[in-house]
Amino acid sequence: MPFGSPANWGATTEERRRAQPADTLLDGPVARFDRAVTVRAPAALAYRWLCQISVAPYSYDLLDNRGRRSPGSLTPGADELAPGDTLIVFKLTEVDRGHSLTGRTFAESEKVFGPVAATYSVEPIDEKSCRMLCRIVVTSKGLRGRLKEFLLGWGDLIMMRKQLLTLKKYAERDARLGHVS
């Protein structure tokens, strides 16, 4: 990709090599973007915070939540997701409860972004910490696909970085306060 690459923020080489469910959701040439952060909180708590993106985007609220503030506490039932549920601009295709959420853009979103797939996951390091990851997969065919890859890659990097850091902040805060499940 010209002008530098937004393909990775925070993911290790191993995490980037690992197959994710989103890898299989789009046909043709694709580009992958990996984002990851270490969270000093148990994986179960980080997963509950990850599921909060079914409630609000947890990025730049002024831009992507019409100025409404994303909740600073866990929403009861937000982690009870199933295939077919909506997650931001994605319709969930797979839920590995306690570990990952995978989806593809729904029709209205594809009008704006084109086909995009994502897997969000939480992977334990030990009892008190984990990795929170996201892989975004976009079609990358022809000039239009490469332009979308460039624009979506950089835009996603800015928004996703903020999202993962916000979820990390809340999970670590709750872990410090003893809210571990």
Side-chain angles (χ1 to χ4, degrees):
M1 176 173 265
F3 311 112
S5 175
N8 182 36
W9 175 77
T12 66
T13 301
E14 163 59 28
E15 289 166 342
R16 296 194 71 217
R17 286 185 184 143
R18 191 176 312 135
Q20 295 290 345
D23 296 340
T24 65
L25 294 179
L26 303 180
D27 296 325
V30 297
R32 296 181 352 182
F33 303 106
D34 291 293
R35 287 63 171 105
V37 65
T38 299
V39 180
R40 305 278 181 239
L45 179 59
Y47 178 78
R48 289 196 60 212
W49 272 104
L50 184 65
C51 290
Q52 282 291 117
I53 60 177
S54 67
V55 176
Y58 287 89
S59 186
Y60 294 98
D61 286 335
L62 186 60
L63 295 175
D64 61 7
N65 204 20
R66 297 185 190 113
R68 291 186 306 265
R69 192 173 175 98
S70 296
S73 60
L74 291 169
T75 302
D79 59 332
E80 297 171 11
L81 298 168
D85 289 345
T86 300
L87 191 69
I88 309 173
V89 297
F90 302 103
K91 181 176 182 179
L92 290 177
T93 58
E94 182 180 324
V95 175
D96 182 358
R97 199 164 169 81
H99 178 252
S100 67
L101 307 167
T102 299
R104 179 184 165 140
T105 44
F106 46 87
E108 293 166 9
S109 299
E110 287 195 5
K111 289 177 186 174
V112 177
F113 302 110
V116 178
T119 296
Y120 283 88
S121 63
V122 173
E123 300 177 2
I125 296 172
D126 55 36
E127 291 180 8
K128 295 182 179 181
S129 61
C130 60
R131 296 279 288 162
M132 189 178 288
L133 303 103
C134 183
R135 170 160 305 148
I136 302 288
V137 181
V138 300
T139 54
S140 183
K141 184 177 181 181
L143 180 59
R144 184 175 175 182
R146 287 191 300 279
L147 179 60
K148 179 180 76 169
E149 175 185 340
F150 177 79
L151 295 174
L152 190 61
W154 284 107
D156 171 73
L157 175 63
I158 293 164
M159 302 303 278
M160 182 69 64
R161 180 180 181 278
K162 172 68 170 158
Q163 181 184 62
L164 292 178
L165 290 173
T166 300
L167 297 171
K168 166 188 168 86
K169 175 183 79 172
Y170 286 134
E172 289 179 346
R173 176 204 63 195
D174 285 359
R176 280 191 310 276
L177 295 174
H179 305 222
V180 293
S181 60

